[in-house]
Amino acid sequence: MRRGHGARLTRDDLARLRHAAGHPVDPACSLFGPRSLSWRVHREAALLLAGGRALLLQVAHPLIAAGVAAHSRFEQAPLQRLWRTLDLSLTLTFGSAAEALAAVRGIERVHATVHGVLPEAVGPFRRGTPYDANDPRLLLWVHATLVDSALLAYERFVAPLSRAERATLYEESMISARLFGIPAASIPATLGDFRAYMRDMLSGPVLAAGPTSRAIAAALLSPPLPIGVRQLAGTTRLFTIGLLPPTVRRRYGFAWSRAHEHALWLLSAAIRGGIPMLPGIAREFPHARRAGA
């Protein structure tokens, strides 16, 4: 099990970790551990293929898109947010409890400066609607996109999970949600409740994918890359758009044909067939290897 930084934690820190885990924890050990479904699933680098999907689901929410556009250099470095989100998620899973808490504290310090108002009406939100990155409703949506995308990617590219394994993985994900300060009453209590929450969000009016969302999506799908790497970006674009729920794909205005669907199916099958033959250094995230997952 990963043993991490021995930095002294305050009583409040220990109480926050205990609340997140649901029991007292050793700050030097992972909140999850080698027997958890989270270690088994999140070690797989193939989950990165759904990273763009998660990000586009997040910024389809106009309040999140407004915060990203006004408080980051997304257009100049669109992949940085994706990497920061990935690194945070992997630190929460494979780092020590102390490292996980430090990562969350760092994000909270950044979020403390991310607030403002919508510059224009988008979907159900009027012009001037305030946004705040530490709003529990926005934190829940960001968390939900990561959980949903990880489940989708693992089962599509790695291996199927049983119903019990999916439920266990979701229960473990609630640890991260509580660590982020999302009120327990706001977190869907079961995987079934989570599925219902996702259906409501995907079919409802909130994910409007307005002009700001589309500008962020365009920057992500066509990042400034050196010659020779752009072909890889084209393949990534196929995964990012193809893995989106059809309702959100349409709201972004992305074209999607049977030919696209067939290409996505072929690539997915090739990845699923090839992953078992890969060595750990190519198959697993470095965070997992360092933790001994």
Side-chain angles (χ1 to χ4, degrees), residues 210-249:
T212 302
S213 303
R214 295 184 184 200
I216 294 171
L220 176 69
L221 293 169
S222 300
L225 293 172
I227 296 174
V229 186
R230 293 174 187 171
Q231 291 80 1
L232 178 61
T235 303
T236 302
R237 178 187 179 94
L238 182 72
F239 286 115
T240 298
I241 296 175
L243 295 178
L244 281 173
T247 53
V248 176
R249 192 190 301 142

Side-chain angles (χ1 to χ4, degrees), residues 152-229:
L152 173 70
Y154 187 86
E155 295 206 283
R156 181 147 194 162
F157 301 119
V158 183
L161 294 169
S162 69
R163 181 180 298 181
E165 287 172 332
R166 292 188 203 107
T168 298
L169 184 64
Y170 177 70
E171 288 173 8
E172 291 175 3
S173 79
M174 295 168 69
I175 295 173
S176 298
R178 291 190 293 263
L179 188 60
F180 262 102
I182 301 173
S186 300
I187 305 169
T190 67
L191 179 60
D193 294 335
F194 175 75
R195 297 292 197 199
Y197 166 75
M198 289 298 299
R199 285 195 299 270
D200 289 345
M201 288 295 291
L202 295 174
S203 63
V206 171
L207 305 181
T212 302
S213 303
R214 295 184 184 200
I216 294 171
L220 176 69
L221 293 169
S222 300
L225 293 172
I227 296 174
V229 186

Side-chain angles (χ1 to χ4, degrees), residues 4-278:
H5 296 161
R8 291 183 178 179
L9 300 182
T10 67
R11 229 176 244 183
D12 288 344
D13 291 336
L14 293 173
R16 183 168 181 175
L17 290 173
R18 184 169 60 249
H19 168 72
H23 55 76
V25 300
D26 180 347
C29 296
S30 165
L31 286 167
F32 299 93
R35 295 184 180 179
S36 66
L37 261 294
S38 293
W39 272 37
R40 175 177 146 194
V41 168
H42 291 283
R43 72 187 176 115
E44 299 286 352
L47 268 60
L48 184 59
L49 295 172
R53 172 197 192 263
L55 186 54
L56 290 195
L57 283 174
Q58 291 168 22
V59 299
H61 195 305
L63 300 183
I64 294 176
V68 170
H71 299 273
S72 72
R73 298 174 57 253
F74 196 90
E75 290 188 7
Q76 291 77 24
L79 298 180
Q80 282 187 3
R81 180 183 174 87
L82 185 59
W83 168 249
R84 285 197 304 268
T85 301
L86 175 65
D87 184 57
L88 172 63
S89 297
L90 293 171
T91 299
L92 290 179
T93 302
F94 297 105
S96 69
E99 290 169 334
L101 181 59
V104 170
R105 295 284 196 204
I107 292 297
E108 288 175 339
R109 285 192 292 273
V110 174
H111 281 182
T113 67
V114 180
H115 48 78
V117 297
L118 278 184
E120 58 186 353
V122 186
F125 300 100
R126 297 179 179 178
R127 178 183 177 185
T129 299
Y131 64 82
D132 188 314
N134 282 322
D135 182 336
R137 293 167 297 180
L138 302 186
L139 291 175
L140 177 60
W141 177 238
V142 170
H143 170 74
T145 66
L146 298 174
V147 172
D148 188 69
S149 296
L151 269 168
L152 173 70
Y154 187 86
E155 295 206 283
R156 181 147 194 162
F157 301 119
V158 183
L161 294 169
S162 69
R163 181 180 298 181
E165 287 172 332
R166 292 188 203 107
T168 298
L169 184 64
Y170 177 70
E171 288 173 8
E172 291 175 3
S173 79
M174 295 168 69
I175 295 173
S176 298
R178 291 190 293 263
L179 188 60
F180 262 102
I182 301 173
S186 300
I187 305 169
T190 67
L191 179 60
D193 294 335
F194 175 75
R195 297 292 197 199
Y197 166 75
M198 289 298 299
R199 285 195 299 270
D200 289 345
M201 288 295 291
L202 295 174
S203 63
V206 171
L207 305 181
T212 302
S213 303
R214 295 184 184 200
I216 294 171
L220 176 69
L221 293 169
S222 300
L225 293 172
I227 296 174
V229 186
R230 293 174 187 171
Q231 291 80 1
L232 178 61
T235 303
T236 302
R237 178 187 179 94
L238 182 72
F239 286 115
T240 298
I241 296 175
L243 295 178
L244 281 173
T247 53
V248 176
R249 192 190 301 142
R250 288 193 292 269
R251 291 180 192 186
Y252 271 109
F254 294 136
W256 191 253
S257 65
R258 289 184 179 179
H260 289 123
E261 190 66 39
H262 185 61
L264 179 62
W265 184 88
L266 289 175
L267 283 171
S268 299
I271 292 168
R272 191 165 55 249
I275 278 180
M277 296 179 281
L278 291 176

